[in-house]
Amino acid sequence: MTVLADLLISIFERTYKRVSDPITFDQRPLSELAHELVSTRSETRVLTLAREILSRYHLLDAAGKARFFSDVAQQLNLDPTRVRETLFDYERSPSRRTYRAYTEAAEPKRQEFIRRLNQMPGATEQLVKMRSDLLALATQDPNIDALDLDFLHLFSSWFNRGFLVLRPINWQSPAHILEKIIAYEAVHAIQNWDDLRRRLEPTDRRCYAFFHPSMPDEPLIFVEIALTQGIPNSIQSVLSQDRTPLLTQEADTAVFYSISNCQSGLMGVSFGNFLIKQVAADLALGLPNLSTFVTLSPIPDLSKWAEKNAIVPCDTLSPSEVAATYLLDAKNSAGHPLDPVARFHLGNGAIIHAIHESADTSDKGIAQSYGTMVNYLYDFDVVEKKHEMFFNKRLISATSTVSAKAERARKTISDERP
Amino acid sequence: MTVLADLLISIFERTYKRVSDPITFDQRPLSELAHELVSTRSETRVLTLAREILSRYHLLDAAGKARFFSDVAQQLNLDPTRVRETLFDYERSPSRRTYRAYTEAAEPKRQEFIRRLNQMPGATEQLVKMRSDLLALATQDPNIDALDLDFLHLFSSWFNRGFLVLRPINWQSPAHILEKIIAYEAVHAIQNWDDLRRRLEPTDRRCYAFFHPSMPDEPLIFVEIALTQGIPNSIQSVLSQDRTPLLTQEADTAVFYSISNCQSGLMGVSFGNFLIKQVAADLALGLPNLSTFVTLSPIPDLSKWAEKNAIVPCDTLSPSEVAATYLLDAKNSAGHPLDPVARFHLGNGAIIHAIHESADTSDKGIAQSYGTMVNYLYDFDVVEKKHEMFFNKRLISATSTVSAKAERARKTISDERP
Amino acid sequence: MTVLADLLISIFERTYKRVSDPITFDQRPLSELAHELVSTRSETRVLTLAREILSRYHLLDAAGKARFFSDVAQQLNLDPTRVRETLFDYERSPSRRTYRAYTEAAEPKRQEFIRRLNQMPGATEQLVKMRSDLLALATQDPNIDALDLDFLHLFSSWFNRGFLVLRPINWQSPAHILEKIIAYEAVHAIQNWDDLRRRLEPTDRRCYAFFHPSMPDEPLIFVEIALTQGIPNSIQSVLSQDRTPLLTQEADTAVFYSISNCQSGLMGVSFGNFLIKQVAADLALGLPNLSTFVTLSPIPDLSKWAEKNAIVPCDTLSPSEVAATYLLDAKNSAGHPLDPVARFHLGNGAIIHAIHESADTSDKGIAQSYGTMVNYLYDFDVVEKKHEMFFNKRLISATSTVSAKAERARKTISDERP
Amino acid sequence: MTVLADLLISIFERTYKRVSDPITFDQRPLSELAHELVSTRSETRVLTLAREILSRYHLLDAAGKARFFSDVAQQLNLDPTRVRETLFDYERSPSRRTYRAYTEAAEPKRQEFIRRLNQMPGATEQLVKMRSDLLALATQDPNIDALDLDFLHLFSSWFNRGFLVLRPINWQSPAHILEKIIAYEAVHAIQNWDDLRRRLEPTDRRCYAFFHPSMPDEPLIFVEIALTQGIPNSIQSVLSQDRTPLLTQEADTAVFYSISNCQSGLMGVSFGNFLIKQVAADLALGLPNLSTFVTLSPIPDLSKWAEKNAIVPCDTLSPSEVAATYLLDAKNSAGHPLDPVARFHLGNGAIIHAIHESADTSDKGIAQSYGTMVNYLYDFDVVEKKHEMFFNKRLISATSTVSAKAERARKTISDERP
């Protein structure tokens, strides 16, 4: 506890020291510095080089960054011959020495490059941004692809669930964090500070984020929660400006109405499942009256799918029936739901509890899903079992009401398609 | 800043939650669980399995642990055929898919096993202890050696310098941290709490440790510092119980008189160089009167070496002359100083400033080095240059006084050895 | 240090407990409860009564509050007869017993009433608001006046300088504190969150506030500072949206450009002098390049005074000459400057360094002072001496430039007034 | 929350600044400085004088301190004539001015003296120590008595319950706080750090202390708690070194087995009642299985009373019968229990639940109470009612078992005393 209080002071001091630290740049090309970085045996040199590379990278334009990635990806690429040789040596005579030689050869130097950049305090955040730049390039270069996978490999290790810290976000949180919540909210946009306050301050609102100790100013993912009586059937009722907040102890339901990933550079490292379960545990601990944990989720690509498949709502087919068949029947190549939100929650072990019409009457809501929204219900007693059925047997759990809607939709469709 | 204050609360709460978390053990063998752990695609299952494996491991006796390591090392070993196949595929047709297949095959599943264990909050500390157990086995089994290198590989990535936090340790620090300082002090033993207080509380004492955010209760390495006027020539004067503490502003010298690594499980991950430099920077910032940064260091194996080489102190050869030639002339196979302490400080770019006799008159001091000790001086203006000379040219810097002592020793020895 | 980290946790928990604490109100009149509060010997009863009185007070309308103050002021008034009797007893036979009886009688029960209300955790803030209500009544009732003085007496003791804590306010500060900075800024209004950020985030901006540990969410007074090169001559240059922030180490001057008291209920308890000196000390410690500490201050009533005295700027009399004679020559009945801002800074030992025209070209600035502003310079080597000259000899220190302006003004005025 | 995290940093910085602050002493007598302190209108002067007076006071020997108290007490005494005059003026013409004049005259300047000393940051702790010195003088001087009451008056206001902060003390607490727990434990002495750890670290132990924000390093009062199954009947069982700690959730009873006041200078300011109730609330919140809150208390003067009244244990009179009649029947002049511990807990609304023999078999326990101890039970549903019966009707609540013991004792005594 105290240890972290001291951490606090360390970080504080760092803020002030950062100021007086001018860097004199080496004039050599970045690729040369990169080469030296992975080769040097001097820890001091590692720091100096890491600092220069990151500083100079930061000043590059898009083309310069692309060239940098391309140079690094190629120059620090795998040496297949060396992999084979060391593997052969290790097989012939397994020992500490031969194994070490193999592991060093089997991993492209790109990974050691990234790890060594990360030795500089504060580098992690910059590396996450670096991968974000790389992803934005959207090239088809297999070397760049490999570099991206190298980043992903290391990030998966560093942003390991065991290293993450869950923290409540509220109106007492620091402004520089809150402005990021405003910026990163991806589901129901936050207009301004007043709007933000309405999401955080009332007694029936909660928000949590995951942080990594090396990026204490950057949320990784956050979830916004409404405490309600009963399960809500529209986002309008949840976000209404006129509503009277519930007293905390009156609430029986926690509604996860928005989950936003914050770091595009961490694409592929998943936090959401842990977030929901840990937040639910935290809420349950503090609010023993809560008995229901549920989402109020969008169906982002419903209308796109419906139009493509000519299954649009009409007199004989309600929007929620269309939604039901979409969620239950439309699958991707792996046999999982086509809808990414459904895939996420069902994969976590949730069930489709209800589908509501006129649930998101914003322009965006109407456009993307005819105004429909879904409640995914997390019943933590069966979540593990549902999760396994989902992955092992491709089974989707839904309430009978939802199943009936899908059934009606299927029937209508088959009736109309001779 | 605030973010870390919240961290504090998270950790605090965790303490209280830990209590009510009974585990029902699966009955299958650990090796079976290990296999499932690296194979499952369910994040929830990962957590459950990691928790069970770590809990059950904890209860094993030494033989059980040895068997566990052996099983894991073998069962999750590399598949050379698969490495070759995927490498071949990747070479023939480099793509995201083939690269991913290669990287997965090229890395033994042992690493993924360790990474997945680490997903459990609090696991990092247990994994460090696990490797400590493994090192204690001291087997010659190449599979176990490989497992150890896998641990080391991951720990080097996780205990990356950029993730470490430097914190002052003082009499205001929490008792559970301080008791570890007592336990881990490896150079000049701390007898009890009163002795500890004498090392921490006076105005002319400082102590710093590196911590990792995922092990906030475990220091990784710490250094004890005395603030003095001038460079001290004996540990007795530094640790004397009767001395009157200096006022902080009167000190011109910071003496690093003890550096202790705390985690045997982190053997091979080096922190000391960074520690000294960051501590010196921190001290300099707060105490502008400090102009000299120096160690007062033991020469652990001097007498062992002297006896082996029949260069023991005598009428014509003083202990400090023996020490001088040992430090300057005795080399290991890499051409670096035989003395590990010298190797460390000279490798960091320090110079041998002075050698003192009767500097450690404790039984241990007399036994290991005839009572001699060394000051290694850190002159941060030239540290980088010295460091490079040391590594690139095997050059050792010493003051003329020290060099003269070595020269006299060499002469005496050659005179006496016809 | 840790102690306060724990404090943090206590406060945090309090937040959550506050929720579930319903109060059942007693039905008796408040004045009856007030009487019981000062009479009861039960500590538990004190808490219950304090809570009810404060809760019910909170619900009163203005008339109800006025009646409440009037009732308390009268009912818990001094009993002069009892003062005389106990004083007589004490004089005749001074003892612990007689002294205690006297001190109890000599102090009106109103003070004990306020002290006992304050036993409830969180009451201090409510009592400060209560006095704010009382001051707003602006009655001429001598009993109410006495009650106000009783509040002031206790507040002076509780908001003692030794109990206050100075804290930096920055963009990392919690939103609920920052919104109060926006609300309380009294000199140069902060328009919105973006404007606030411009005052806090750049490297050349600082802000500090005094807090009381019992009101951790309420700043008492705060000061905004610009770090500059040289002394600025207009608020426009200081607050310009387009300026490029200085690097911290380039600044040689700290400009106190806005000081705002936050709590009207603390009127008469002065913090400003301590604030400036402690902030200057803190800045000097962290920024050794700072050599000048100066204000950029308004002259709130200049034009009002000028018009009343027919000394308005004209062809022969510049605005800054008018300002100079106002600041140096216009005095209140105590012989101190009429201008409250001048009185404050000169009383603290500052000197009038410069008067600038077109220094505040906002409507407010033109209206109140023809656009002029003043720099009061704090030279901490002579501040104490200046302070004493100001109080003991009514001497005002000013630079020769300022004095010359005043002299020209005096001459012009006397020339034109035959 | 954040606000207090910042506090933390402020305090931290203070630690480091304290170093470089040499004071040049004025040479005038302390009484002269005291006079100037209460007279000056300069806030800066107040700080300078306060600092000098406190520093020089600190260096005085016992005789010097006695003289200092005597000088201050006399010199800053009440002026009865002025009290009468100002009271007369106020009665004749009640106004803000006349009331202010009266309140200034009615209060001896000693109080303003203490208040002004307290303006120096860190002074509160020194003033508490000062009163401790004063109490130790144990003079009969009525002026000194009055000075003591002046201290008490201000301390009651400053150490107001609303200003106190409750904090858990555990093995994570800072060493400099823990060493004070060792020093201040007044009931069952703590031998050393190992003993302390046994009181704090096990899962079934708790400790809490009240702190004042201006003395963050000094606990005011603390209580040690054992979590047990059922109500314990001896301190040996509670403190046994061999016991196996309970899992927290297995405990149904919280036993307050030691309460210690830490600051003799705060004698007469009571915290204990609040402490017990707030701690019980905190424990109940975190440990819902707790259903019983009880003490295990000593009977400090039982044997002294028994011998004086010739009611010592014998064949026909057990120690617990003697204890029962002592607790229920022996009263002081106010009609309250003679036993101070009973007076405290019964005054808080507890009831006498049980008396145990051989409950404290230490030398001290046998000597003071024949080895007996008492459980006072806090039933928070009736605590308020019991409290009122105790104060209003002098009623003591006890279980029938205890009452029966007392009855038997009374009978035996009356039988044997013809």
Side-chain angles (χ1 to χ4, degrees), chain C residues 71-332:
Chain C
D71 286 354
V72 165
Q74 245 179 310
Q75 175 186 329
L76 304 179
N77 205 347
L78 215 52
D79 175 351
T81 311
R82 179 115 189 87
V83 179
R84 277 195 199 87
E85 283 170 7
T86 56
L87 182 58
F88 181 73
D89 284 355
Y90 172 60
E91 282 187 288
R92 201 178 41 186
S93 139
S95 76
R96 192 168 185 90
R97 194 188 52 73
T98 55
Y99 184 66
R100 187 196 292 268
Y102 163 72
T103 55
E104 280 172 10
E107 189 190 84
K109 289 216 179 313
R110 290 183 297 251
Q111 292 192 18
E112 185 65 13
F113 175 67
I114 299 168
R115 266 195 300 265
R116 290 188 168 202
L117 286 179
N118 195 39
Q119 300 230 3
M120 198 189 79
T124 314
E125 190 176 330
Q126 298 183 50
L127 290 170
V128 170
K129 296 233 161 74
M130 193 182 271
R131 182 171 176 239
S132 176
D133 293 343
L134 188 153
L135 288 167
L137 289 179
T139 68
Q140 300 298 330
D141 179 347
N143 278 336
I144 298 282
D145 265 358
L147 175 57
D148 178 50
L149 285 169
D150 291 329
F151 268 111
L152 180 58
H153 177 79
L154 290 172
F155 287 175
S156 301
S157 187
W158 294 342
F159 289 86
N160 205 298
R161 193 255 161 284
F163 286 168
L164 303 185
V165 182
L166 182 70
R167 295 186 302 130
I169 301 289
N170 52 41
W171 192 239
Q172 278 74 44
S173 298
H176 76 295
I177 298 289
L178 294 185
E179 69 175 339
K180 282 167 189 164
I181 298 295
I182 297 179
Y184 291 141
E185 157 67 66
V187 187
H188 305 289
I190 299 175
Q191 305 304 327
N192 51 37
W193 285 85
D194 286 336
D195 197 9
L196 175 69
R197 192 211 312 240
R198 280 192 295 272
R199 308 254 185 128
L200 299 181
E201 205 184 30
T203 46
D204 59 354
R205 296 293 134 122
R206 294 289 184 278
C207 181
Y208 288 85
F210 264 140
F211 285 78
H212 189 276
S214 292
M215 294 169 60
D217 296 335
E218 281 289 340
L220 306 181
I221 186 173
F222 65 91
V223 58
E224 294 166 72
I225 298 134
L227 304 178
T228 60
Q229 282 181 324
I231 297 177
N233 59 14
S234 85
I235 192 69
Q236 295 88 252
S237 68
V238 167
L239 295 185
S240 162
Q241 294 195 19
D242 308 324
R243 61 187 195 79
T244 307
L246 278 185
L247 290 183
T248 312
Q249 63 268 38
E250 296 170 354
D252 56 22
T253 302
V255 184
F256 298 72
Y257 69 87
S258 179
I259 302 176
S260 300
N261 279 292
C262 308
Q263 308 294 332
S264 57
L266 291 176
M267 202 180 80
V269 186
S270 71
F271 309 115
N273 180 14
F274 292 130
L275 179 67
I276 288 176
K277 286 171 189 168
Q278 199 168 336
V279 165
D282 204 70
L283 289 171
L285 196 84
L287 303 168
N289 293 338
L290 288 185
S291 55
T292 305
F293 295 87
V294 76
T295 75
L296 181 61
S297 302
I299 315 177
D301 297 324
L302 176 60
S303 55
K304 210 183 297 172
W305 173 85
E307 272 146 45
K308 193 168 148 201
N309 291 276
I311 310 185
V312 294
C314 60
D315 283 4
T316 55
L317 199 59
S318 73
S320 62
E321 287 168 0
V322 175
T325 183
Y326 170 62
L327 294 175
L328 286 169
D329 302 332
K331 302 291 170 68
N332 68 11

Side-chain angles (χ1 to χ4, degrees), chain B residues 9-21:
Chain B
I9 283 161
S10 318
I11 300 290
F12 175 79
E13 292 180 320
R14 204 180 291 167
T15 316
Y16 279 87
K17 273 179 224 158
R18 204 180 292 161
V19 170
S20 49
D21 240 359

Side-chain angles (χ1 to χ4, degrees), chain A residues 3 7 42-44 84 91 96 99 102 106 108 110 148 150 153 157-158 163 165 214 216 270 273 384 387, chain B residues 3 7 42-44 84 91 96 99 102 106-108 110 148 150 157-158 163 165 167 214 270 384 387:
Chain A
V3 169
L7 263 185
S42 156
E43 289 168 343
T44 315
R84 278 196 199 85
E91 280 186 288
R96 192 171 186 89
Y99 185 68
Y102 163 73
R110 290 184 296 252
D148 178 49
D150 292 328
H153 178 79
S157 187
W158 295 343
F163 287 168
V165 183
S214 291
S270 72
N273 180 13
E384 179 82 349
H387 160 87
Chain B
V3 170
L7 262 185
S42 155
E43 289 168 342
T44 315
R84 277 197 199 86
E91 281 185 288
R96 192 172 186 89
Y99 184 68
Y102 164 73
E107 189 191 84
R110 290 184 296 252
D148 178 49
D150 292 328
S157 187
W158 294 343
F163 287 169
V165 183
R167 296 185 301 131
S214 291
S270 72
E384 179 81 349
H387 160 88

Side-chain angles (χ1 to χ4, degrees), chain A residues 345-346 349-354 375-379 382 386 397-399:
Chain A
H345 291 299
L346 297 171
I351 68 170
I352 308 182
H353 178 76
N375 299 127
Y376 297 102
L377 181 84
Y378 281 81
D379 175 348
V382 300
K386 298 287 180 193
S397 294
T399 54

Side-chain angles (χ1 to χ4, degrees), chain C residues 42-43 84 91 99 270 387, chain D residues 42-43 84 91 270 387:
Chain C
S42 155
E43 289 168 344
R84 277 195 199 87
E91 282 187 288
Y99 184 66
S270 71
H387 160 86
Chain D
S42 155
E43 289 168 344
R84 277 195 200 87
E91 282 186 288
S270 71
H387 160 86

Side-chain angles (χ1 to χ4, degrees), chain A residues 92-127:
Chain A
R92 203 180 38 186
S93 141
S95 76
R96 192 171 186 89
R97 193 187 51 74
T98 54
Y99 185 68
R100 188 196 293 269
Y102 163 73
T103 55
E104 278 173 10
E107 189 191 85
K109 289 216 179 313
R110 290 184 296 252
Q111 291 192 19
E112 184 64 13
F113 175 66
I114 299 169
R115 266 196 298 267
R116 289 189 171 201
L117 287 178
N118 195 38
Q119 299 230 4
M120 198 189 79
T124 314
E125 191 176 329
Q126 297 182 50
L127 291 170

Side-chain angles (χ1 to χ4, degrees), chain A residues 311-312 314-318 321 405-418:
Chain A
I311 310 184
V312 295
C314 59
D315 282 5
T316 56
L317 198 62
S318 73
E321 287 166 1
K405 282 188 181 178
E407 190 49 39
R408 273 200 305 280
R410 289 178 205 122
K411 190 160 181 310
T412 306
I413 296 166
S414 74
D415 285 358
E416 293 183 358
R417 292 191 181 163

Side-chain angles (χ1 to χ4, degrees), chain C residues 28-42:
Chain C
R28 292 176 295 158
L30 279 180
S31 60
E32 212 170 295
L33 299 184
H35 179 75
E36 188 186 343
L37 179 64
V38 297
S39 319
T40 182
R41 298 191 51 185
S42 155

